Amino acid sequence: MSRKKVLLVWLTLSLLLSLVAAGPVAGQEDEIVIGVYEPMTGPQAAGGELTMQGVYLAHEVRPEVLGRPIRLVLVDNRSDKAESATAVQRLIEQEGAVAIIGSYGSSNSMAGGEVAERAGVPVMGCSPTNPLVTEGKDYYFRACFIDPFQGRVMAKYAVEELGVEKVAIIQDVAQDYSVGLAAFFREAFIELTGDAKGIVAFTAYQTGDQDFTAQLASVMAKNPDAIYAPGYFGDGALLARQAREMGYQGYILGADAWEAPELIEIGGSAAEGILITSHYHPEAELSPASQPFVELFMEKYGERPSAFAALGYDAYMLVVDAIERAGTDDPKAIRDAMAETKDYEAVTGTITLDKNGDAVKDAVILKVEDGEFKYVGTVKP
Amino acid sequence: MTVSLFFQHLANGISLGALYALIAIGYTMVYGILRLINFAHGDIVMVAAYVAFYGAAMYALPWWLAFPLAILLTAGLGMIIERAAYRPLRGVPRIQLFTSAVAVSFLLENLGIVVFSGRPKAFPRPAFLDKPLHVGDVIIISYTPVAVAVALILFGGLLYIVHRTKVGMAMRALSKDIETTGLMGVDTDRVIMIAFAIGSALAAAGGILLAIKFPQINPLMGVVPGLKAFIAAVLGGIGNITGAMIGGFLLGIAEIMIVAFFPQLAGYRDAFAYTILIALLLFRPTGLMGEVEPEKA
């Protein structure tokens, strides 16, 4: 045989082999597949990893439902909208997921949600907080509160507890999460103070930007008492650092997506004093389920759980609970059971899903102190 | 806008521009010699930042040892890439060479994700760079004068090598015609390898400054600065080292000024920077300092 023929035969064989390997024989017949799409690489990778800590722990605690083993399949959405849509498609078509968990990042979730909706597979969002993730969607639910509430919580805290009168808002225009939250905060702030002039600056950056000195110089010329920048943790760390380097001395306020170890590692001393809204803190005592969870978590990972780990844990448990109540692995039946979730005792609070599929829950305020997120208080809806 | 605020923005622009300039001169030098758009240049920037990070944070080397070491190792990496991915393609159409550069770029990025993990790491900044300087009302982060000085010194050094040394003469000859230069008795492979070593060392210096300015390093951190440096090089006239230097500073200042004067466009500053670039290229296709050269047969 000539070299070319050998090569051809070899290629054909390896192609056939790969087809066999990718076929449905990979798993057991009776298993139930729960898909997860999360950012494991890219600028939101930390959020994905924190969430997965909780999901893996939950899977260890409840590896079976309806007497059948659960197979967890994770697909990386690379912090990217287009990749998120592909990830959900892969979970449904290739992996045969009957329910899906995801994703950190509202934009990722909105892109993935379109695909799940068309395929008729239910998704339980762990931490996407933008209202549009579930709005008009029959198959998208979430274990967390939404941004109109989160924005209001921080506005209220800034006005009533910190005495902020002049605030500057810096949003990330490429993230639905950030744009939504900035608008909700602004609305609530004006409503609370009755003074539209209290928003002294409203400016923006885009995911991937690292230099905020131009925005900060313009903002600081207006002497705000506080800067509210509801973006992601990496941007937050650099923004805080550059603000402090340029001599800014007011408050720096963020939201739940700033809760990652990176905010403190990268922000260094500039991160000290940062205030954020979040979903959970081990000391907040939001639910009786919290304490046992914290113990299990500490045992497995040797550190305290973050809000995202807690939400990942809750999202998995909510999915399993819905499958159990549905009594079948039919996605439509699971969806219907999920929609009826009521008074579920989750780690992050008691969850009853409203007509949009959103959880209505308490928010917590956290403050960075001595290189840690410290619990400040709880705000009820 | 007050005068001091304007100067504040200008200082911030120069600070950013020095970075682009430094990465751009290495980019443009390699292009000038090989006519190769070295797409992996930005990723070499990233590798250098990680090498410096591991030297300084993991092995606790002092910065004055960790940084030069990172530059040296990265120069070595540049030579390996040239030997493995570019030299075998010498003499084939340029598009293959370019494709190979794109492949190297993706390889480095994905290798980075596997080896360094996708989560960002905090880069340890030398303590003396933490204190800001006050000039009147203008606050200059102390990184700025350092970055400008490094950019100017390396720029001067590069010009010296290219125009005053034997290797530099060989490089300039190579840029006209590789084969003929080889026939003149020049070891072209060696000269090209040296060019890559220098280009990568410049990228490394840029990478370390980038990591100091934005102390958050991740495997994809080189992509955007690499693109910006390429644009700076095109702006200045690709292949022209002085042009790249000027282009880098201009791009940095323009980016900041767009945000300063049009705050409502702040989120889209890249789009505007690129629009300016397109407009400039329509009127001056060769860039600011580029020369028109006849297509080679």
Side-chain angles (χ1 to χ4, degrees):
Chain A
M1 255 194 299
S2 71
R3 267 179 74 184
K4 263 192 184 157
K5 266 190 188 159
V6 174
L7 192 70
L8 198 70
V9 170
W10 184 78
L11 276 177
T12 318
L13 274 177
S14 50
L15 189 70
L16 281 174
L17 274 174
S18 67
L19 280 178
V20 172
V25 283
Q28 286 167 269
E29 276 296 306
D30 65 339
E31 66 186 9
I32 289 180
V33 179
I34 297 180
V36 187
Y37 71 117
E38 283 289 326
M40 303 311 287
T41 54
Q44 298 162 9
E49 277 187 31
L50 293 174
T51 307
M52 286 316 293
Q53 286 185 324
V55 175
Y56 287 136
L57 179 64
H59 184 235
E60 270 177 31
V61 174
R62 283 203 72 176
E64 283 185 10
V65 67
L66 308 178
R68 294 159 65 184
I70 296 171
R71 185 158 67 96
L72 205 55
V73 182
L74 167 68
V75 176
D76 178 13
N77 66 33
R78 298 177 171 197
S79 313
D80 183 85
K81 297 169 206 173
E83 292 283 348
S84 294
T86 318
V88 171
Q89 192 151 12
R90 198 180 121 192
L91 285 171
I92 295 170
E93 286 175 8
Q94 286 177 25
E95 306 290 349
V98 295
I100 295 173
I101 297 168
S103 163
Y104 182 91
S106 292
S107 295
N108 303 336
S109 302
M110 282 153 76
E114 293 292 338
V115 180
E117 186 79 10
R118 257 181 281 131
V121 174
V123 189
M124 178 57 72
C126 34
S127 64
T129 46
N130 189 291
L132 294 174
V133 171
T134 54
E135 218 171 271
K137 295 262 181 10
D138 282 336
Y139 283 84
Y140 224 112
F141 304 89
R142 65 181 127 203
C144 56
F145 54 64
I146 55 173
D147 288 334
F149 170 62
Q150 181 170 206
R152 168 166 294 274
V153 167
M154 187 46 97
K156 203 157 181 252
Y157 187 79
V159 172
E160 291 175 3
E161 304 291 326
L162 304 177
V164 170
E165 286 170 6
K166 292 189 289 179
V167 67
I169 301 172
I170 306 180
Q171 65 176 6
D172 178 350
V173 288
Q175 299 293 340
D176 299 293
Y177 160 75
S178 184
V179 172
L181 205 39
F184 297 126
F185 174 88
R186 177 194 184 144
E187 206 175 283
F189 187 89
I190 294 175
E191 201 187 300
L192 286 163
T193 58
D195 178 17
K197 288 203 184 76
I199 312 282
V200 291
F202 194 98
T203 185
Y205 65 93
Q206 189 173 89
T207 305
D209 285 356
Q210 295 200 301
D211 189 290
F212 307 107
T213 55
Q215 287 91 334
L216 287 168
S218 303
V219 159
M220 281 161 59
K222 307 268 174 62
N223 283 319
D225 307 319
I227 292 176
Y228 183 58
Y232 286 92
F233 57 89
D235 309 335
L238 289 179
L239 190 134
R241 233 182 135 129
Q242 290 169 25
R244 295 299 184 215
E245 273 163 11
M246 292 171 69
Y248 173 70
Q249 288 173 346
Y251 294 108
I252 298 178
L253 313 176
D256 61 327
W258 276 16
E259 195 193 329
E262 277 84 348
L263 180 84
I264 294 165
E265 284 160 19
I266 296 162
S269 61
E272 288 292 311
I274 283 178
L275 287 153
I276 63 167
T277 41
S278 191
H279 307 268
Y280 173 79
H281 190 277
E283 283 165 30
E285 290 171 11
L286 295 169
S287 127
S290 175
Q291 200 48 44
F293 164 72
V294 174
E295 277 160 24
L296 278 174
F297 194 91
M298 295 279 283
E299 199 178 303
K300 183 167 163 70
Y301 297 106
E303 59 187 36
R304 286 199 314 188
S306 63
F308 297 107
L311 286 171
Y313 186 91
D314 282 351
Y316 177 91
M317 289 303 187
L318 284 168
V319 168
V320 175
D321 175 62
I323 295 174
E324 194 165 48
R325 280 187 289 113
T328 157
D329 65 355
D330 173 50
K332 173 81 172 68
I334 298 173
R335 180 242 160 248
D336 292 340
M338 217 179 253
E340 282 162 18
T341 303
K342 199 164 181 296
D343 298 326
Y344 181 85
E345 287 240 324
V347 169
T348 56
T350 306
I351 293 177
T352 298
L353 296 180
D354 67 11
K355 64 175 182 355
N356 283 326
D358 302 329
V360 180
K361 288 192 310 188
D362 299 350
V364 294
I365 306 257
L366 307 181
K367 183 180 193 176
V368 179
E369 248 175 45
D370 306 322
E372 264 183 56
F373 288 101
K374 295 263 165 73
Y375 172 66
V376 176
T378 305
V379 182
K380 300 216 168 293
Chain B
M1 183 178 299
T2 61
V3 177
S4 66
L5 183 55
F6 177 80
F7 278 105
Q8 180 68 65
H9 284 305
L10 190 64
N12 294 341
I14 290 171
S15 183
L16 190 59
L19 199 60
Y20 294 158
L22 193 52
I23 303 174
I25 54 177
Y27 219 128
T28 216
M29 183 198 65
V30 168
Y31 178 86
I33 293 165
L34 273 187
R35 294 292 179 271
L36 161 68
I37 296 171
N38 185 14
F39 218 74
H41 198 72
D43 302 297
I44 294 172
V45 165
M46 175 273 292
V47 173
Y50 271 99
V51 175
F53 167 80
Y54 281 108
M58 304 279 285
Y59 297 100
L61 300 177
W63 65 267
W64 46 264
L65 193 62
F67 293 178
L69 199 66
I71 293 177
L72 225 61
L73 287 174
T74 312
L77 173 72
M79 290 161 77
I80 294 171
I81 292 172
E82 195 278 328
R83 181 69 191 82
Y86 300 152
R87 189 184 295 179
L89 293 173
R90 206 99 80 220
V92 303
R94 232 173 268 152
I95 187 77
Q96 266 94 324
L97 199 57
F98 176 70
T99 311
S100 182
V102 174
V104 170
S105 167
F106 285 148
L107 178 72
L108 289 178
E109 283 165 22
N110 287 295
L111 218 58
I113 290 173
V114 174
V115 178
F116 309 132
S117 110
R119 284 175 73 162
K121 290 192 163 60
F123 191 82
R125 178 191 285 178
F128 75 95
L129 286 171
D130 271 338
K131 256 181 121 64
L133 312 168
H134 294 257
V135 183
D137 284 343
V138 180
I139 294 168
I140 298 173
I141 48 174
S142 48
Y143 148 91
T144 307
V146 174
V148 173
V150 170
L152 287 176
I153 291 169
L154 293 181
F155 169 63
L158 183 61
L159 282 186
Y160 179 82
I161 291 174
V162 172
H163 291 286
R164 292 277 183 273
T165 65
K166 224 170 173 181
V167 174
M169 190 193 277
M171 286 179 188
R172 280 178 291 139
L174 269 174
S175 74
K176 303 282 182 213
D177 191 327
I178 295 183
E179 267 179 35
T180 315
T181 312
L183 289 175
M184 300 292 161
V186 173
D187 184 349
T188 52
D189 283 345
R190 193 177 139 262
V191 174
I192 289 172
M193 195 163 250
I194 292 173
F196 263 89
I198 296 173
S200 302
L202 289 166
I208 292 168
L209 281 178
L210 181 70
I212 291 174
K213 186 165 171 59
F214 310 118
Q216 173 204 206
I217 62 173
N218 67 71
L220 302 180
M221 64 182 276
V223 177
V224 173
L227 271 177
K228 297 275 174 70
F230 174 64
I231 286 162
V234 172
L235 197 64
I238 186 125
N240 186 308
I241 296 168
T242 312
M245 191 75 183
I246 296 172
F249 276 102
L250 275 182
L251 186 66
I253 294 169
E255 274 192 19
I256 298 287
M257 289 302 176
I258 284 166
V259 180
F261 284 96
F262 308 99
Q264 65 278 24
L265 302 178
Y268 310 97
R269 71 177 180 192
D270 285 359
F272 277 78
Y274 299 152
T275 311
I276 293 171
L277 176 86
I278 293 169
L280 186 109
L281 288 180
L282 284 177
F283 292 105
R284 262 195 85 88
T286 55
L288 294 172
M289 312 230 357
E291 42 209 273
V292 188
E293 61 176 282
E295 252 328 279
K296 268 188 249 179

